Amino acid sequence: MNEPVDAKKRTYSEEAHAINARDVSFSFDSVRMHYIPGEVLATHIVNVMHLVLPEGERAMAQALSEALPYIKDERLREEVQGFVGQETMHANSHEGARKHLQSIGLDAEGYVNKVAWLVDRILGDHGLTGRAKEEWLKERLGLFAGMEHFTAVLGEWLLNADILEEVGMHPTMLDLVRWHGAEEVEHRSVVYDAYMYLDGSYARRARTAVLATATLLPLFIISTAYLFQKDPSQDKGRNWPWQFVSATVRGVIPKFTVFFTEMPRYLNPKFHPSQLGSMDTALRYLAHSPAARASGHSPAPRAEGQ
Ligand SMILES: [Fe+2]
Ligand SMILES: [Fe+2]
């Protein structure tokens, strides 16, 4: 691969902490089907994370691993390695949640297998070599950088959505999605920086970002509809359009218009993911997250007066 156009495009002076996977674990035993009580549709919107994201995250981890041999910048290599570890841990944790939901009656295995097959067919390495391999790698990095924009925005929303506590979301599920959201904010720049290092073309960045949006929105809608329909519960509340509007108005789910409103920001030639949200909020959550603390990755809070 050619030498990067400008290896100094990104400096790490502002976000100098190292990114590392946290060895978290979750116990889902007490989680019920509607773990956001009374919010069936909102629960299934969150469930999309357990079903669809793990496959995408594994594909991302694979592409970033393939990029490592081309990255000579030690600091960026370190970030990419941390990213691969974090995404692999996200995928495994959400899979644990999915298996629990499957065990209590939400049969989504067939759908998950189809998604896995599709992701592998579309986003795998296709056994390419030489120039074709490098071009396909750059294309995937562009696409994943666009997707990571949305996961960082969603992560920021999860960290700030106090309403999830107010409506009584199960604490384990809440910690799972907030831990994940916080790490999405923490590593928001990594794929973008890897893409800029290996390619950096604005045309590809814009094209793949539009493609990422055009893929994610229908995927979310189709997956939510599938889960809502597969839910075996007798009482699924009022019809889904009513639940959707109600949950949106009350802020229990993010506004779906985010898919459109975020694109102009990402497409601004001066945009960099470090401009997104508060890193401090994410790191503070990770310092207190029950799962992250149990992993021994985060320090115990200091006692009063220390
Ligand atoms: Fe993730
Ligand atoms: Fe991510």
Side-chain angles (χ1 to χ4, degrees), residues 49 53-54 56-57 60 83 86-91 94 148 151 179-181 183-184 187:
M49 294 176 73
L53 278 195
E57 289 176 312
M60 263 193 236
F83 173 91
Q86 286 194 344
E87 291 297 9
T88 304
M89 190 57 76
H90 296 172
H94 283 289
E148 282 286 286
T151 56
W179 155 76
H180 186 171
E183 288 197 344
E184 290 302 322
H187 72 219

Side-chain angles (χ1 to χ4, degrees), residues 134-156:
E134 291 169 10
E135 283 303 306
W136 178 230
L137 178 59
K138 291 174 185 176
E139 191 74 8
R140 281 182 291 162
L141 290 179
L143 193 61
F144 291 145
M147 291 184 178
E148 282 286 286
H149 180 79
F150 289 111
T151 56
V153 169
L154 187 62
E156 189 190 348

Side-chain angles (χ1 to χ4, degrees), residues 50-66 83-84 86-96 98-99 112 116 119-120 123-124 140 144:
H50 309 317
L51 265 70
V52 177
L53 278 195
E55 300 311 323
E57 289 176 312
R58 287 196 184 105
M60 263 193 236
Q62 188 196 329
L64 270 292
S65 298
E66 286 173 36
F83 173 91
V84 169
Q86 286 194 344
E87 291 297 9
T88 304
M89 190 57 76
H90 296 172
N92 294 344
S93 302
H94 283 289
E95 192 168 298
R98 181 187 53 86
K99 284 183 174 157
V112 171
V119 168
D120 195 46
L123 296 171
R140 281 182 291 162
F144 291 145

